[in-house]
Amino acid sequence: MREIDETVGLTGHLWLQKADKPFVGQDRIRLLEKIDQLGSMNKAAKSLGISYRSAWDAVNLINNLSDAPLVEKASGGKGGGGAYLTESGRDLVRKYQFLQQEHQSFLATLEEKLGDLSGLENFLDRVTMKVSARNVFYGTVSQVSNGTVHVEVTLTLKGGSLLKAIVTRRAVDSLGLREGQPAYALVQAGSVVVADDMAGFRVSAGNFFKGTVSRLHGGLVNTEVDIEIPGGDTISAVVTLESAQRMGLQAGNRACVFFKASQVILGVR
């Protein structure tokens, strides 16, 4: 069973994708279409020949990077993984389908004037950035606190949560980070720590969030845990199976996640 590519393209060249090569993100658009048709994450994944886990990973990423959730869980879904598109999700699919049609027409006209575009397309393939981090967040720089060597940058996520990153002054200058600028934050799932939702719980990590466990995917040694925080962003963590069992983690439980600001990577377009 194939997997949706878990790397995340942070740049794209939609205008150069030809009819025989899928648009940037088309795999995920097809997943949204199937969810809308079938009303089930499990059925949608099977129809596309991907795993249930891969489908949910893709949906979490889509929801994190969108201004409003595109997919929500349906209570009491048959066959497991009940899910449906929100109105924002359906609107995105409609617009993408229209864009795809217009894009092909545009390419046909462009190639009449410029000839073969494959050389330029291959170059853009090489400079398109992809990352392997499971957690990718989109927000706006709300504060830049300058230090002598390092700088603390605060991103405000779509739900109002604050995410902090500590980077070098050189990185801030190189990225041109400033207040009001959109930016991405990337965090490896292995850097995220999960804890019980205890009253008065305090940690020294720069990033601390409370949320609800939305999904667990257990293995022989480790368990992947997805925790939804206020605003709809999902944070993924990898914990040992023993730890998950000891904390009694299960979908619907309240839990805390935290990670150091120095473990956050920032990116901009």
Side-chain angles (χ1 to χ4, degrees):
M1 182 171 288
R2 73 183 185 89
E3 300 282 327
I4 287 181
D5 186 2
E6 291 184 355
T7 58
V8 181
L10 295 185
T11 63
H13 50 281
L14 176 65
W15 66 282
L16 280 176
Q17 293 293 329
K18 301 181 181 179
D20 61 342
K21 295 185 71 177
F23 283 142
V24 172
Q26 176 140 339
D27 279 354
R28 295 187 177 104
I29 291 294
R30 289 178 61 209
L31 176 59
L32 294 181
E33 291 173 337
K34 288 298 182 181
I35 293 171
D36 196 33
Q37 293 171 11
L38 303 174
S40 164
M41 185 67 71
N42 192 32
K43 292 178 181 178
K46 287 181 178 179
S47 71
L48 294 174
I50 63 176
S51 70
Y52 180 72
R53 166 192 168 190
S54 182
W56 267 117
D57 285 344
V59 165
N60 286 339
L61 173 67
I62 292 169
N63 280 342
N64 280 3
L65 295 181
S66 64
D67 293 330
L70 304 182
V71 179
E72 291 188 353
K73 292 183 178 180
S75 58
K78 295 182 179 180
Y84 65 94
L85 294 192
T86 64
E87 186 54 42
S88 295
R90 293 193 181 96
D91 185 57
L92 174 67
V93 171
R94 285 194 297 266
K95 289 178 178 177
Y96 188 91
Q97 291 170 341
F98 175 78
L99 178 61
Q100 187 177 38
Q101 295 171 358
E102 293 298 307
H103 176 72
Q104 296 306 321
S105 176
F106 167 74
L107 277 183
T109 302
L110 194 63
E111 288 198 326
E112 286 180 4
K113 297 180 178 180
L114 299 180
D116 185 15
L117 298 173
S118 60
L120 181 56
E121 181 181 1
N122 289 335
F123 169 73
L124 291 176
D125 275 336
R126 291 193 295 270
V127 300
T128 297
M129 183 177 71
K130 292 186 176 182
V131 297
S132 61
R134 181 64 57 83
N135 294 295
V136 182
F137 306 99
Y138 180 74
T140 302
V141 177
S142 53
Q143 186 175 357
V144 178
S145 302
N146 292 313
T148 305
V149 179
H150 292 91
V151 178
E152 183 181 81
V153 180
T154 302
L155 290 188
T156 299
L157 305 183
K158 61 189 177 188
S161 296
L162 301 180
L163 189 151
K164 299 182 182 295
I166 294 179
V167 297
T168 64
R169 177 179 293 277
R170 182 176 179 181
V172 171
D173 294 339
S174 176
L175 296 174
L177 292 174
R178 62 188 183 279
E179 292 183 10
Q181 178 184 9
Y184 296 91
L186 294 78
V187 185
Q188 293 282 358
S191 299
V192 180
V193 178
V194 179
D196 294 324
D197 185 19
M198 298 183 296
F201 191 80
R202 296 181 180 181
V203 295
S204 61
N207 294 289
F208 179 83
F209 303 94
K210 289 187 176 184
T212 303
V213 177
S214 59
R215 186 177 67 97
L216 292 96
H217 182 80
L220 296 177
V221 179
N222 294 325
T223 298
E224 293 183 6
V225 184
D226 290 343
I227 296 177
E228 185 175 326
I229 64 175
D233 281 317
T234 297
I235 301 178
S236 297
V238 177
V239 302
T240 64
L241 182 60
E242 180 183 355
S243 295
Q245 293 173 341
R246 184 174 63 252
M247 288 187 287
L249 291 178
Q250 57 183 332
N253 282 7
R254 297 286 297 172
C256 301
V257 291
F258 52 93
F259 48 91
K260 295 180 179 178
S262 58
Q263 293 172 322
V264 178
I265 298 174
L266 296 180
V268 298
R269 282 195 178 277

